[in-house]
Amino acid sequence: MLKSFLPIPSDSDFSIHNLPLGIFSTEELSARAGMALGNQVIHLAALFEAGLLENQSSELKDALHAPVLNNLIALGPEVWKALRLRVQLLFSERSQSLWGNTRPDSVFVKQDSVQMHLPVAIGDYTDFYSSEYHAANVGAMFRDPQNPLLPNWKHIPVGYHGRSSSIVVSGTDFHRPYGQTKAPTSEIPSFGPSKQVDMELETGFIISRNTNQGSRIGVNEAEDFIFGMLLFNDWSARDLQSWEYVPLGPFLGKNFCSSVSPWLVSMEALKPFRVAMPEKQEPEVLNYIKQENRWTYDIHLEAEFELAHGQKEIITKTNQKYLYWSMNQQLAHHTVNGCPMRIGDLLASGTISGPDPDSLGCLLEITRRGQNPVSFKADGSTRNFMEDGDRITVRGYAEKDGIRVGFGEVTGKLLPPIAF
Ligand code: CA
């Protein structure tokens, strides 16, 4: 098995089989491209300057110094796949002869000494609703337990357009949002801070190619348009959402903040963790989203809830593989009307819930709309939704045959509402 000369713990998300890309800065270095390996960040521009990359083009040099990954992605899959393989080779055992006079420790910095930034300039952001378990649980709570899915759900990968302006990188705290709500017992709405701030455990993928207005991405070629995946937490104000969402869907209950993990895990790194999805969907879907050999990824996902006073508990364990719609189907559906895609666009999965009570992806489901609060074993604290000072951290990884490829984490803390 491929090993690095750097000491990497076996439970590290950032094994030499992963090498995800992100944007980092230090006191000396402006924001630029890096790759995670163990607990280090590989400084790719330094590798370039040392002449250790095979590709010596000025385009690659500029892309590695840029404060977002969009330019690197635009250079195309040959360039970024070769870059990852070259770094893998340089950092593998018995690579000494490749390094010449360069000391390896001059091209990496400790992860805990860098600041991470949004990995890409996100142009447009779409959020799907692709977990059947989640859609059915929510439908049962808000509509009809006997008939929880709306008639379109198994025919359309349902989604909505969000705001990329409110997407932040992991570690960015956010304030409790204000908005309009209406209590069921009240005749009229009122205004104030949300009382029901929730998480939504999701993953997302980043688009790798521009497409033209009017063109479509075919369901069987869609993965060629995906650069990589990340963790996504779509913070949600349930009381705002339930009052505003009819008839046009999510709006201010969603666009106050959404958090992404800083490292983009490539589809090449995830390939060993592909798992088949049921080929036949019932009812049968229309031809343009009928995918041969549907696949997903076996990615373990979990969320940790940390109370303001420091108590922590894992509140859910779920998996990417529980989604009903594949990423190919999401992308094919999204573009079937001719909607253009651009490099850096973010498409998120929707809350990922699984079949078990301990695999639910948001507090709304976990607490059954506040009927069944989360109880913290250590001191008996309870939560229906988040209180000021609470933090939620989502982690994710794939593991097979001793190889681990992980995402790290996406974390965020809820701050009190801003006083106006
Ligand atoms: Ca969502």
Side-chain angles (χ1 to χ4, degrees):
M1 199 199 313
L2 195 59
K3 281 198 160 156
S4 176
F5 60 79
L6 288 180
I8 297 174
S10 60
D11 63 349
S12 172
D13 280 349
F14 306 123
S15 69
I16 194 161
H17 301 274
N18 190 353
L19 296 174
L21 279 160
I23 295 289
F24 76 101
S25 65
T26 67
E27 278 179 20
E28 295 82 33
L29 301 172
S30 59
R32 61 191 60 201
M35 267 184 190
L37 178 60
N39 53 14
Q40 308 289 350
V41 178
I42 300 171
H43 179 190
L44 295 170
L47 276 183
F48 186 96
E49 300 294 347
L52 290 170
L53 301 180
E54 287 166 315
N55 181 337
Q56 291 291 317
S57 69
S58 60
E59 290 82 8
L60 180 61
K61 180 183 177 177
D62 292 346
L64 295 180
H65 283 92
V68 287
L69 294 172
N70 300 54
N71 293 352
L72 179 60
I73 298 173
L75 294 179
E78 299 76 19
V79 173
W80 26 270
K81 286 179 187 177
L83 175 67
R84 178 169 164 271
L85 291 177
R86 179 67 181 174
V87 172
Q88 202 166 50
L89 188 63
L90 282 169
F91 280 87
S92 62
E93 288 179 316
R94 293 182 288 279
S95 63
Q96 289 89 337
S97 62
L98 300 173
W99 285 85
N101 295 325
T102 307
R103 288 168 45 127
D105 64 5
S106 67
V107 302
F108 55 76
V109 283
K110 274 212 151 55
Q111 271 169 35
D112 57 16
S113 71
V114 306
Q115 187 180 350
M116 296 304 296
H117 303 265
L118 279 178
V120 288
I122 300 166
D124 281 306
Y125 148 56
T126 300
D127 197 16
F128 285 96
Y129 190 56
S130 286
S131 157
E132 181 178 357
Y133 300 108
H134 172 66
N137 289 335
V138 173
M141 277 186 274
F142 287 90
R143 287 184 303 271
D144 178 5
Q146 302 308 317
N147 220 351
L149 294 179
L150 287 168
N152 60 6
W153 199 89
K154 289 203 164 181
H155 297 280
I156 291 176
V158 170
Y160 71 94
H161 289 123
R163 291 276 300 177
S164 57
S165 63
S166 59
I167 297 177
V168 299
V169 73
S170 175
T172 311
D173 300 332
F174 60 99
H175 291 273
R176 182 181 293 277
Y178 286 83
Q180 195 179 124
T181 60
K182 192 183 85 63
T185 49
S186 173
E187 288 282 301
I188 52 164
S190 59
F191 178 78
S194 165
K195 296 185 179 74
Q196 298 184 344
V197 177
D198 197 352
M199 61 174 269
E200 288 197 336
L201 192 167
E202 308 191 16
T203 61
F205 60 91
I206 297 292
I207 296 296
S208 65
R209 288 164 68 176
N210 294 328
T211 64
N212 295 324
Q213 190 138 34
S215 70
R216 292 176 182 176
I217 297 175
V219 69
N220 293 310
E221 52 162 358
E223 187 135 331
D224 295 342
F225 292 77
I226 300 176
F227 177 73
M229 292 180 65
L230 40 64
L231 303 173
F232 189 68
N233 190 339
D234 178 27
W235 306 105
S236 301
R238 299 301 181 195
D239 41 0
L240 275 62
Q241 186 184 353
S242 58
W243 171 230
E244 74 182 0
Y245 85 104
V246 177
L248 285 186
F251 190 27
L252 302 187
K254 296 287 187 177
N255 64 10
F256 58 96
C257 186
S258 306
S259 303
V260 295
S261 55
W263 295 107
L264 270 174
V265 177
S266 69
M267 302 322 285
E268 293 73 52
L270 288 168
K271 208 164 252 176
F273 310 100
R274 272 191 184 186
V275 287
M277 298 173 88
E279 198 161 339
K280 278 220 158 30
Q281 290 175 297
E282 272 303 319
E284 204 173 339
V285 299
L286 293 173
N287 275 334
Y288 76 94
I289 42 174
K290 206 175 277 175
Q291 182 186 356
E292 296 159 16
N293 306 317
R294 290 198 315 138
W295 70 85
T296 181
Y297 297 90
D298 185 7
I299 301 170
H300 305 276
L301 300 161
E302 64 174 42
E304 182 186 77
F305 198 129
E306 182 180 343
L307 301 177
H309 59 273
Q311 209 68 250
K312 290 179 190 178
E313 198 144 307
I314 301 292
I315 54 168
T316 185
K317 289 188 175 188
T318 181
N319 196 300
Q320 173 80 10
K321 69 184 180 187
Y322 295 139
L323 294 174
Y324 184 83
W325 297 103
S326 71
M327 293 190 285
N328 287 52
Q329 290 178 305
Q330 291 170 340
L331 197 43
H333 178 67
H334 202 316
T335 59
V336 74
N337 64 346
C339 170
M341 287 287 145
R342 288 181 298 205
I343 290 170
D345 285 354
L346 169 65
L347 278 64
S349 60
T351 307
I352 305 177
S353 293
D356 309 312
D358 55 2
S359 63
L360 305 173
C362 63
L363 292 169
L364 179 72
E365 287 172 85
I366 294 169
T367 69
R368 294 174 171 272
R369 221 179 166 181
Q371 300 301 301
N372 183 24
V374 178
S375 175
F376 289 76
K377 290 184 193 80
D379 66 356
S381 302
T382 59
R383 287 290 188 274
N384 285 322
F385 293 99
M386 295 179 76
E387 292 187 7
D388 295 347
D390 288 349
R391 168 186 294 284
I392 291 178
T393 303
V394 172
R395 303 188 180 91
Y397 67 94
E399 195 162 30
K400 190 181 168 189
D401 303 331
I403 293 177
R404 180 161 163 139
V405 167
F407 291 80
E409 64 178 37
V410 55
T411 188
K413 186 163 86 172
L414 178 63
L415 304 174
I418 296 169
F420 287 102

